Amino acid sequence: MGTPIRINRYLALNQYCSRREADKLIEQGQVLINGKPAVLGMLVKENDKISLRSGFKKVEAGRVYLAFNKPVGIVSHGPEGNQKSIGDIFRYKTRVFPVGRLDKDSHGLIILSNDGRITGRLLDPEFEHEKEYLVEVDKSIQGGFLKKMSGGVRIGDSLTRPCRVSPVGSNKFRIILTEGKKRQIRKMCLALNYVVKDLKRVRILNIELGNLKPGGHREIKDEELSLFLSAIGIRK
């Protein structure tokens, strides 16, 4: 760390907590710099000693990770007009937020959490984390459709990354992506003259949708959680 950085960014980069959590801890007097309470916006230099009081343990113990089956017609972020969001149909004892997006017309797995550390690590395409989908299109799959999908499809000015695609039925296929452009699968299919009729996300890394019903949830914990956090480079 050559250049001084803000204390909340330092704590986030070193995986203590998210920046928002860091600001709360600083306000509570739980963060110490060289033995003295930190102040919001304070800069940390290379030789500074950073420590946290017991308050950090309370934040850590309160982290929640849920697998949620988002129904069709529900938006994951920014509802407009009469649209309903996940927050409108689901309440948990601890406030959680969707990590990533799943468009209104799609359904399936989305992770809900109050751990701000995981957002960037999970969503940054640089890390190439796998997401798996089951897709139904409007007509029988013919010709080199699957080969073209797996090799990369041009969407606008960009070419999608190579991915894994396998048939499931005459007009259904499974696709595993390592990137997440907006409405990517729908646009890939449309570029090849197919229209998506149903799109269901069934896996994110090691987290599987399983038999969760629409609107249902389960807690991600124990070994499943450890594997997930380890895969995105975060300490439990």
Side-chain angles (χ1 to χ4, degrees):
M1 184 178 69
T3 305
I5 61 175
R6 291 182 183 274
I7 179 62
N8 62 352
R9 184 163 183 256
Y10 172 89
L11 293 173
L13 288 174
N14 285 275
Q15 301 178 19
Y16 285 100
C17 55
S18 69
R19 290 194 193 188
R20 183 175 296 180
E21 289 172 336
D23 287 340
K24 291 180 181 179
L25 292 177
I26 293 166
E27 290 176 340
Q28 295 167 5
Q30 301 291 344
V31 181
L32 304 178
I33 302 178
N34 300 322
K36 297 181 179 180
V39 176
L40 287 173
M42 247 178 131
L43 296 178
V44 177
K45 299 183 290 295
E46 189 169 4
N47 295 324
D48 286 334
K49 181 180 179 181
I50 313 301
S51 57
L52 294 97
R53 304 187 196 208
S54 59
F56 173 66
K57 294 181 180 179
K58 293 178 183 178
V59 172
E60 187 174 58
R63 289 187 181 130
V64 173
Y65 310 86
L66 305 175
F68 179 75
N69 187 348
K70 186 193 83 67
V72 173
I74 301 299
V75 298
S76 53
H77 291 79
E80 299 177 354
N82 295 325
Q83 291 180 342
K84 288 186 177 181
S85 68
I86 292 173
D88 292 321
I89 66 167
F90 177 71
R91 290 285 190 276
Y92 194 68
K93 57 186 177 182
T94 301
R95 185 182 178 187
V96 292
F97 56 86
V99 182
R101 295 176 180 272
L102 194 58
D103 68 66
K104 182 171 74 74
D105 299 322
S106 302
H107 60 119
L109 179 63
I110 191 165
I111 293 174
L112 308 180
S113 180
N114 59 357
D115 185 354
R117 302 175 304 162
I118 71 175
T119 303
R121 291 273 180 164
L122 181 60
L123 303 183
D124 191 332
E126 177 184 346
F127 296 112
E128 299 190 4
H129 298 313
E130 288 188 353
K131 299 180 181 69
E132 182 175 345
Y133 303 80
L134 291 177
V135 186
E136 178 183 350
V137 289
D138 62 331
K139 55 188 175 182
S140 295
I141 296 171
Q142 299 177 354
F145 173 77
L146 297 180
K147 184 177 181 180
K148 291 176 182 177
M149 287 286 285
S150 63
V153 178
R154 183 159 297 281
I155 300 176
D157 297 328
S158 64
L159 185 69
T160 62
R161 281 182 185 162
C163 58
R164 287 150 55 195
V165 185
S166 58
V168 176
S170 62
N171 65 331
K172 296 180 181 180
F173 64 93
R174 183 183 306 273
I175 182 169
I176 300 174
L177 301 179
T178 57
E179 60 184 341
K181 300 179 187 297
K182 187 175 181 180
R183 298 178 71 85
Q184 177 173 336
I185 296 172
R186 295 179 185 278
K187 291 178 179 179
M188 290 172 71
C189 289
L190 194 59
L192 299 176
N193 298 313
Y194 285 79
V195 175
V196 170
K197 304 297 289 184
D198 186 72
L199 194 156
K200 179 180 181 181
R201 185 157 64 197
V202 296
R203 178 173 65 87
I204 299 173
L205 286 173
N206 66 303
I207 310 301
E208 298 187 1
L209 179 66
N211 58 2
L212 281 179
K213 296 180 180 179
H217 76 280
R218 64 177 175 80
E219 188 176 352
I220 302 169
K221 57 185 179 179
D222 301 329
E223 183 179 1
E224 183 183 32
L225 176 60
S226 296
L227 288 172
F228 173 72
L229 294 179
S230 176
I232 60 177
I234 289 180
R235 293 193 299 265
K236 186 174 179 180

